[in-house]
Amino acid sequence: PTTRDASIAEINKFHAQLLQAQNKLNPLKTVKQDFMQRETAQRCVAEVMEKLTPAEIECDKAEEGTLLLSEGGSTKDMMVQADMAVTKAMGLVQAVLKLILARKPVATGLVLTEVKKLEERARAAEKRLQQLKNSQKEATEKVSCESLIKEAGDKLQIVQDAVSKVSNAEGPFLMGVEELPIQETLVAVKACETAATSANTAVSIARMFIATKL
């Protein structure tokens, strides 16, 4: 081969070596960028987790309070406490979602992937709290119905007692008032009127109670 051919062959050899070196260097070009992305992602995750972790803990507490309601024997205080727990947890979750939505538009690559994962967790917590709120509503309605039935039963008992007193007061008339002295007759009439008035009042109260609750 001529000197020129030898030179060209040598240059081609160098060129091949250069391409090989370039191929090895290409992945290293993004090392710094990848490192910075991971670092940014870690900072972002840490920032969100600082709020998400306590929010999820409050969700657990809210769930415990709601489960107590579903077990029966609920009191007004228990219902208030359970509602407050859900409200508190919901406030924390909403704050997390607000933070995530602020970070999401400017996130890219690995950062965006991590932000989406955290958003899924926050949305799951939000859905969980909504379900707890629905369960609390059902428990509250059940307690209210039980209380209503009991109160209505008490008022009905008052009516029945009042009617019974009317029947007792009518006793002398059923036996024949003409056989009673005038004084005893007047007393019997007064007692009958009083019992009837009380019975009518009890009936009116019971009717008004039922009308306002239906």
Side-chain angles (χ1 to χ4, degrees):
T2 64
T3 302
R4 185 172 181 279
D5 290 337
S7 298
I8 291 174
E10 194 64 27
I11 290 173
N12 286 336
K13 182 180 178 181
F14 286 148
H15 183 66
Q17 290 175 344
L18 180 62
L19 286 176
Q20 187 178 10
Q22 187 68 51
N23 289 335
K24 290 181 179 179
L25 288 173
N26 283 336
L28 299 179
K29 288 182 179 179
T30 61
V31 168
K32 182 178 180 181
Q33 183 180 353
D34 292 343
F35 174 77
M36 292 180 65
Q37 269 208 354
R38 285 196 299 270
E39 193 176 51
T40 303
Q42 289 173 353
R43 285 200 304 269
C44 184
V45 169
E47 182 184 21
V48 175
M49 287 301 297
E50 187 177 357
K51 294 181 179 294
L52 182 57
T53 299
E56 289 178 331
I57 291 174
E58 290 302 324
C59 285
D60 291 337
K61 292 180 180 178
E63 186 171 16
E64 290 174 4
T66 304
L67 286 174
L68 289 176
L69 294 181
S70 63
E71 291 174 359
S74 304
T75 64
K76 185 177 181 180
D77 184 59
M78 288 172 62
M79 288 188 288
V80 170
Q81 292 297 324
D83 180 66
M84 289 175 60
V86 169
T87 300
K88 180 181 179 181
M90 186 65 82
L92 294 176
V93 170
Q94 292 296 335
V96 174
L97 287 170
K98 184 178 180 180
L99 175 61
I100 290 173
L101 293 177
R103 298 288 181 269
K104 193 174 179 181
V106 295
T108 58
L110 182 61
V111 179
L112 181 59
T113 299
E114 294 300 323
V115 167
K116 286 181 177 179
K117 289 179 182 178
L118 294 171
E119 184 179 14
E120 287 178 5
R121 283 179 59 175
R123 293 294 181 190
E126 183 182 42
K127 183 178 179 181
R128 181 181 167 198
L129 288 171
Q130 189 57 54
Q131 290 172 340
L132 291 177
K133 204 166 188 66
N134 293 337
S135 296
Q136 286 184 6
K137 183 180 179 182
E138 291 176 6
T140 301
E141 289 176 350
K142 181 180 178 182
V143 171
S144 298
C145 287
E146 290 174 349
S147 176
L148 176 62
I149 291 171
K150 182 181 182 304
E151 192 171 354
D154 292 342
K155 294 189 182 301
L156 178 59
Q157 186 60 51
I158 292 174
V159 171
Q160 290 174 337
D161 291 343
V163 171
S164 179
K165 288 180 180 179
V166 172
S167 297
N168 293 335
E170 289 178 336
F173 296 96
L174 296 176
M175 292 184 297
V177 293
E178 64 279 357
E179 299 177 2
L180 294 175
I182 185 64
Q183 191 61 38
E184 290 185 25
T185 299
L186 292 175
V187 171
V189 170
K190 182 64 176 177
C192 189
E193 290 176 345
T194 301
T197 300
S198 297
N200 285 326
T201 301
V203 170
S204 296
I205 292 174
R207 282 179 174 173
M208 288 176 60
F209 174 79
I210 293 173
T212 57
K213 301 303 179 182
L214 293 178

